[in-house]
Amino acid sequence: MLGAVTFLMPTLAFKRSARATLSERLPSGGADQLLGKAINRQAELRQSRPHHSIGVNLLIKYMEWDAALYQVALEDGLAKEEAGKLIEAINWRIFKPATNLTFHLSRLRSSKLLTRVQWMTDLLFKTMFTAPFQYRNIPTRDQVAFDVTQCPLAKYFRDLGIPELTKYAACSLDHYMAAQWGMTLQRTTTIGEGAPLCDFRFRVNREK
C-alpha cells in the first residue's frame, strides 16, 4: 500500500528505487555516485519539461528521471542495453505496487479476468494515459484489445535524442503488468520503435 502511495511522488519514488536497484547491480559506491549525477542532470531536464494533463505530467516526471539516469549512465561507459535494463528494473520496482493494488481492487468490479482487465485499462486511459495519448478500443470477445495511436512518452524520448529508451522505460513494463494480471500481452508494433501505433492484445495466460 505504501509503495502505491509513494508512486504519486515521483522524485521520492525514483530516488528510492534507483538507489536500491543500482546498489544491487553496481560496485560499492557506484550507486550514490551515478545517482548524484542523475540528480544534477534531472535539474537541467526539468527546465524544458513538457506540460500536459495531470496524469501524463506524472508519467513525464518519471520519464525525466529515467532520461537523466540513462544519459549519465551512458556517459559513464555503460552500454545502451545495460543502462536500459537498469531503467526497466527501477521503473517496475516503482510501478509494480500501484498496478498490483489496482488489480486487487478490480475484484470488486467482477470475478471474470477479462472484464477486470478491460476495466483496468479503461481506468488507466481515464486517469493516467490521458491527452495527448490517443487510443481506440478493438471490440472482441476473447481478449482485451486496443491500439495506441499517439504516445507522448515516446515523443519525449525522441525529442531528447534517445528514442531507444522508450522500450525500457515504458513499453517493457506493459509485459510485466500483463504477467502480474495473469495475462499475456501480444504486441507486434510500437510507436517507440517507429511504428504508427502500438497494438495491445491482452489474452488470458492459460498456464496460470
Side-chain angles (χ1 to χ4, degrees):
M1 181 67 177
L2 180 60
V5 173
T6 305
F7 171 76
L8 298 175
M9 298 176 279
T11 296
L12 174 62
F14 187 87
K15 287 181 178 179
R16 283 183 176 178
S17 180
R19 184 171 283 109
T21 304
L22 293 172
S23 296
E24 295 169 356
R25 302 188 179 209
L26 297 182
S28 178
D32 288 337
Q33 184 179 15
L34 191 59
L35 184 56
K37 292 180 180 179
I39 290 172
N40 292 333
R41 182 62 55 83
Q42 185 270 342
E44 298 172 5
L45 293 176
R46 187 175 59 209
Q47 303 306 312
S48 57
R49 178 190 299 163
H51 295 283
H52 302 293
S53 57
I54 294 176
V56 175
N57 286 346
L58 178 65
L59 295 173
I60 289 292
K61 289 178 183 178
Y62 278 111
M63 301 303 106
E64 183 178 272
W65 278 105
D66 293 337
L69 182 57
Y70 182 74
Q71 288 177 340
V72 298
L74 295 183
E75 291 169 4
D76 272 15
L78 269 68
K80 286 185 177 182
E81 183 174 5
E82 183 180 3
K85 286 293 185 181
L86 278 174
I87 299 301
E88 180 178 296
I90 290 168
N91 280 8
W92 181 236
R93 201 168 199 149
I94 296 168
F95 283 68
K96 181 180 179 179
T99 59
N100 190 49
L101 176 61
T102 305
F103 180 60
H104 285 296
L105 289 176
S106 71
R107 293 181 185 277
L108 300 175
R109 181 71 178 182
S110 175
S111 61
K112 297 179 180 179
L113 186 54
L114 277 177
T115 301
R116 292 169 63 189
V117 172
Q118 183 69 67
W119 176 79
M120 286 186 289
T121 55
D122 287 344
L123 180 64
L124 285 173
F125 280 106
K126 290 177 181 177
T127 57
M128 297 294 296
F129 299 96
T130 51
F133 273 99
Q134 292 182 8
Y135 83 108
R136 54 175 178 255
N137 273 316
I138 309 297
T140 179
R141 285 187 173 184
D142 61 347
Q143 61 183 335
V144 174
F146 56 89
D147 293 337
V148 171
T149 55
Q150 186 166 315
C151 175
L153 308 185
K155 182 181 185 303
Y156 178 72
F157 290 129
R158 185 171 64 249
D159 289 347
L160 287 178
I162 47 176
E164 71 279 1
L165 185 53
T166 310
K167 169 185 174 182
Y168 300 103
C171 301
S172 63
L173 304 190
D174 298 325
H175 293 279
Y176 289 121
M177 184 174 65
Q180 183 186 62
W181 294 347
M183 307 288 283
T184 298
L185 171 60
Q186 295 184 359
R187 187 171 53 199
T188 63
T189 64
T190 65
I191 295 172
E193 294 177 329
L197 57 82
C198 307
D199 55 337
F200 287 77
R201 303 294 184 268
F202 289 95
R203 295 184 172 89
V204 175
N205 186 351
R206 299 303 179 185
E207 296 180 359
K208 291 289 288 184

